[in-house]
Amino acid sequence: MKKTLLWGTLGLAALGSWAFYPRAAAEPGYMIVSLRVTNSERPTLVTISPSGEETKDVLNTKTKPVRSLQAQTLAKLNELRNQGWAVAHVTSNGGYVQNANNPALSPDYFFTDNYLLEKQ
């Protein structure tokens, strides 16, 4: 009886300690989508996944007007929303930078819209 109680207690202690066993880390839940536009390059939509992989999509400006860049970005954000992502934060930045290829030319104008997405 005493041995059975001892083994039963040790078994319960082992099972109870299993609850505190370290689990695998949760998958990171953030992604960045960035619209980058300059007057010297074609507009691109850059997506940085939670694993750090970067994909660049050159946006179509020949058949669509330039103002549709935000519409193309919105289409990408809606696609990601259907996959379970939600926009957590948005920042916009714009300004002028010196043209590295031709410094005598006028400076390049740029703007970026950055969207921080969170996994839901």
Side-chain angles (χ1 to χ4, degrees):
M1 175 77 180
K2 289 184 181 181
K3 286 186 179 183
T4 308
L5 184 61
L6 176 65
W7 286 110
T9 305
L10 288 175
L12 282 175
L15 287 175
S17 66
W18 189 263
F20 299 104
Y21 189 77
R23 293 179 179 86
E27 181 180 332
Y30 291 100
M31 179 185 292
I32 296 176
V33 175
S34 180
L35 171 65
R36 297 178 183 174
V37 179
T38 66
N39 59 349
S40 64
E41 297 176 5
R42 296 195 55 195
T44 57
L45 190 63
V46 179
T47 304
I48 302 173
S49 68
S51 63
E53 295 176 28
E54 182 178 312
T55 58
K56 292 184 180 182
D57 299 323
V58 177
L59 299 179
N60 186 1
T61 57
K62 291 190 181 210
T63 59
K64 299 180 182 179
V66 175
R67 68 180 177 269
S68 74
L69 294 175
Q70 291 176 334
Q72 294 177 56
T73 304
L74 184 61
K76 178 68 173 183
L77 290 172
N78 283 334
E79 175 187 325
L80 291 171
R81 183 173 185 256
N82 289 335
Q83 297 174 8
W85 294 93
V87 175
H89 188 70
V90 179
T91 60
S92 294
N93 189 11
Y96 293 93
V97 293
Q98 189 67 30
N99 188 332
N101 297 329
N102 298 312
L105 296 176
S106 63
D108 287 339
Y109 177 76
F110 76 94
F111 77 85
T112 60
D113 288 339
N114 298 310
Y115 301 89
L116 178 65
L117 304 176
E118 184 176 32
K119 189 71 170 180
Q120 294 294 319

